Amino acid sequence: MSLFRSGRTAAVQLRGFSTSSSLRVGPDSPNFIEIPQSVQPYQPAKRTVKGTLPVPREIFSRRRADKPTEAYIRAAIPLPEDSKDINPKEPNAEYRQWKKTMAEMRRTNFRQGLKALHKRKQMTDKIMAQQSREKQRRRAQVLKQGEREDVLLTRPSVIKEMLPQHNPVLPDPNREERLALSKARLEEKALLKEQGRRDALHTLYMNARDFIVNEQQLAAAIDKAFPSGVNEAWRNDQANGENVWNLGFPPTVQEALLQGTRGDTDRWDKMQTRVKKLGEEITGGKL
């Protein structure tokens, strides 16, 4: 062996610090590091399908049950009114023939696509109904089935009457009475609502006599409220004139408190108001 470092030679090839397999694979391979496999094989992975079929919109709604019919298709893609043949000697004959071919292709695609969608919807509804019936059948079978024999023989001693009962509907002895009471309350509320609507309509009818419905009535109301001449009632605040703005000063609190103790005039007004209310109750409408 040479004493110089440059002259040294290795007698054997040393193993490097690596856990790679004997295969010549790169570090990006999953087999670069050896991992012991279990005896039980892995479950095969589900094949990944790229893309998903979008959920179609509700094309065949209940209010348009005539969509898959031939009458709807003819109305949606009507034939052209001018169905005469194209003269090949025309200057735009090739363009018109191309447009005619494309129109026929659109009609064919519309008819075929609509029928295919309707067929797929019927098939989907049939499968869903069948699956629903099967689930309901299994659920009813599970609810009605008895206890297993091992559960029955190994459970503690419990009286059968104390066990929970699988009743489909909870007992309700007062159901008919409550339903009758609710129905009576509903009918009473409906009657009150109908009476209130009828009173409101009658009040509107009674007040309609004062409505302004044409230009003549509007001009008369303006002349009455704002007369063109000199209105003497506008010069003082003691009397109530014809104008709505000339009503004098507002009443004070003392006048409002003494309003019911002024004498026969107030008593007469109260009697008239009561008689009017009594007449309205008797006749069933506003007076």
Side-chain angles (χ1 to χ4, degrees), residues 91-284:
N92 298 328
E94 184 178 356
Y95 176 71
R96 292 182 59 187
Q97 183 64 31
W98 174 77
K99 287 184 67 68
K100 183 178 180 180
T101 305
M102 295 300 294
E104 291 294 336
M105 185 182 300
R106 286 194 296 269
R107 294 189 186 94
T108 305
N109 294 340
F110 180 82
R111 178 179 284 101
Q112 293 178 357
L114 192 63
K115 289 185 177 297
L117 288 175
H118 185 251
K119 183 178 180 180
R120 187 172 69 177
K121 181 179 183 301
Q122 288 181 336
M123 186 183 305
T124 305
D125 294 345
K126 183 178 179 181
I127 295 174
M128 290 177 61
Q130 185 177 358
Q131 292 177 353
S132 178
R133 287 193 299 269
E134 182 63 22
K135 288 182 180 179
Q136 292 178 4
R137 187 191 63 79
R138 290 200 303 266
R139 180 178 179 275
Q141 181 181 359
V142 170
L143 289 177
K144 293 180 181 179
Q145 70 182 2
E147 293 181 335
R148 300 197 311 268
E149 187 176 1
D150 56 346
V151 177
L152 183 62
L153 297 176
T154 57
R155 71 182 181 186
S157 299
V158 182
I159 303 176
K160 186 176 181 180
E161 285 72 12
M162 297 180 62
L163 295 176
Q165 302 295 331
H166 297 284
N167 295 325
V169 181
L170 295 178
D172 190 4
N174 301 327
R175 181 174 180 273
E176 299 297 335
E177 183 179 354
R178 290 188 298 100
L179 290 179
L181 185 60
S182 299
K183 184 178 180 181
R185 286 200 300 264
L186 179 62
E187 292 177 354
E188 183 180 358
K189 289 184 178 180
L191 181 61
L192 292 176
K193 186 182 295 185
E194 181 66 24
Q195 290 179 357
R197 189 181 296 110
R198 191 178 304 169
D199 292 343
L201 183 61
H202 186 268
T203 303
L204 178 65
Y205 173 74
M206 295 300 296
N207 295 332
R209 67 183 66 184
D210 299 331
F211 289 174
I212 298 175
V213 295
N214 50 37
E215 296 182 359
Q216 292 77 10
Q217 294 179 358
L218 178 61
I222 293 175
D223 293 339
K224 182 179 180 180
F226 304 99
S228 57
V230 179
N231 189 2
E232 297 294 335
W234 282 47
R235 298 184 178 182
N236 61 78
D237 54 4
Q238 303 297 327
N240 296 335
E242 294 181 355
N243 194 283
V244 294
W245 304 105
N246 187 28
L247 299 179
F249 290 109
T252 60
V253 178
Q254 189 68 21
E255 293 179 354
L257 293 174
L258 297 177
Q259 187 176 3
T261 59
R262 288 186 176 179
D264 298 338
T265 306
D266 292 340
R267 189 178 299 109
W268 173 259
D269 295 340
K270 289 183 178 180
M271 290 175 60
Q272 292 294 328
T273 304
R274 292 174 181 174
V275 170
K276 183 178 180 181
K277 290 184 178 180
L278 181 60
E280 291 177 353
E281 290 294 336
I282 294 175
T283 57

Side-chain angles (χ1 to χ4, degrees), residues 67-99:
K67 273 193 173 183
T69 60
E70 195 66 28
Y72 175 83
I73 296 177
R74 288 196 301 268
I77 48 175
L79 295 175
E81 298 180 358
D82 188 7
S83 59
K84 62 182 181 180
D85 298 336
I86 301 175
N87 189 3
K89 296 182 179 181
E90 294 182 4
N92 298 328
E94 184 178 356
Y95 176 71
R96 292 182 59 187
Q97 183 64 31
W98 174 77
K99 287 184 67 68

